[in-house]
Amino acid sequence: DTGVSQDPRHKITKRGQNVTFRCDPISEHNRLYWYRQTLGQGPEFLTYFQNEAQLEKSRLLSDRFSAERPKGSFSTLEIQRTEQGDSAMYLCASSRNPGDRDFGPGTRLLVL
Amino acid sequence: SQQGEEDPQALSIQEGENATMNCSYKTSINNLQWYRQNSGRGLVHLILIRSNEREKHSGRLRVTLDTSKKSSSLLITASRAADTASYFCATALSTDSWGKLQFGAGTQVVVTP
């Protein structure tokens, strides 16, 4: 296993379009996390899953955002009707125990 | 809002020097972690220190934790140009160690040859 992977690595879209990102965690990790990071800031928590159950959602995750992990393996994060303020790096992480988080390389989104 | 705050925001040093950065947080924690992020890349886990630990070492890294002051420090000894990166502290709450990590805004470290 080569670690957490994210696809795409970069996405440019026009305001109002929908985008979907994918995260493939490390296979034996049952916890999966999504974060958003804007320039010059630390990552901000969005949501996390234990297997297929979404256990917590941040207030940052507006109605336009939805995340799924249908089979407890990969996860998708969809943003509907994108806005310029959605431009950020979207980071996924997975975990096998409470102490660690293995982060993926991120998907950089630019909304024009 | 972000739980941790790093200090300084930026640090510029020469190779061979030590780099020290600090992190303060607000609520009771289960553990505190430090991560490194190279420009435009994902985060790399460096070290974790639990709330009942006071100091931890990993290679050239030394982390201290003072729960009474709600603060931690990361020391990088004998810095190298490859240490140039942003460093973030992140806390896991005592009530939810499995849950979200709360990150600070980071310290940007530049090591010049």
Side-chain angles (χ1 to χ4, degrees):
Chain A
D1 200 335
T2 56
V4 179
S5 61
Q6 292 186 245
D7 182 67
R9 295 290 306 277
H10 303 272
K11 179 71 176 179
I12 301 174
T13 191
K14 292 183 179 178
R15 189 176 54 186
Q17 297 295 305
N18 299 344
V19 294
T20 300
F21 309 140
R22 177 180 170 124
C23 170
D24 286 272
I26 294 172
S27 58
E28 63 266 29
H29 288 188
N30 64 351
R31 303 260 175 158
L32 186 148
Y33 306 80
W34 284 100
Y35 286 83
R36 181 175 72 183
Q37 185 180 24
T38 53
L39 205 60
Q41 298 297 314
E44 296 178 292
F45 170 80
L46 292 178
T47 187
Y48 89 96
F49 294 84
Q50 178 180 351
N51 300 314
E52 64 274 11
Q54 190 172 19
L55 297 187
E56 187 175 350
K57 290 171 58 173
S58 163
R59 286 174 294 177
L60 293 174
L61 217 65
S62 74
D63 291 346
R64 297 184 298 105
F65 287 70
S66 63
E68 294 183 343
R69 195 183 182 198
K71 297 181 180 178
S73 57
F74 72 92
S75 175
T76 58
L77 177 67
E78 180 183 17
I79 309 175
Q80 296 182 327
R81 305 180 303 281
T82 52
E83 302 172 355
Q84 286 183 324
D86 297 332
S87 295
M89 173 83 88
Y90 289 84
L91 294 162
C92 175
S94 69
S95 176
R96 179 172 48 185
N97 62 61
D100 63 15
R101 305 283 187 278
D102 286 290
F103 279 85
T107 294
R108 186 172 293 282
L109 173 67
L110 178 60
V111 182
L112 301 176
Chain B
S1 65
Q2 300 194 306
Q3 152 94 311
E5 292 184 5
E6 284 94 340
D7 173 59
Q9 291 184 338
L11 184 60
S12 184
I13 57 174
Q14 291 192 316
E15 267 192 328
E17 294 182 337
N18 296 340
T20 300
M21 59 210 85
N22 304 295
C23 169
S24 60
Y25 58 90
K26 298 173 184 173
T27 57
S28 295
I29 62 171
N30 175 278
N31 65 73
L32 184 145
Q33 304 177 33
W34 286 91
Y35 288 81
R36 183 185 74 222
Q37 185 177 39
N38 291 88
S39 182
R41 309 290 291 273
L43 284 84
V44 174
H45 182 266
L46 295 177
I47 198 164
L48 178 151
I49 186 165
R50 302 190 188 284
S51 59
N52 61 352
E53 297 175 313
R54 292 296 167 258
E55 188 170 312
K56 209 160 180 182
H57 297 254
S58 177
R60 294 184 294 113
L61 305 180
R62 173 178 168 253
V63 168
T64 63
L65 178 64
D66 186 336
T67 52
S68 66
K69 295 181 179 178
K70 291 186 169 59
S71 68
S72 173
S73 68
L74 171 67
L75 168 67
I76 305 172
T77 59
S79 63
R80 306 166 182 169
D83 295 328
T84 294
S86 292
Y87 292 82
F88 296 92
C89 69
T91 52
L93 299 181
S94 59
T95 53
D96 188 16
S97 59
W98 268 108
K100 61 188 178 188
L101 288 179
Q102 292 183 296
F103 287 82
T107 294
Q108 192 169 9
V109 175
V110 175
V111 182
T112 53

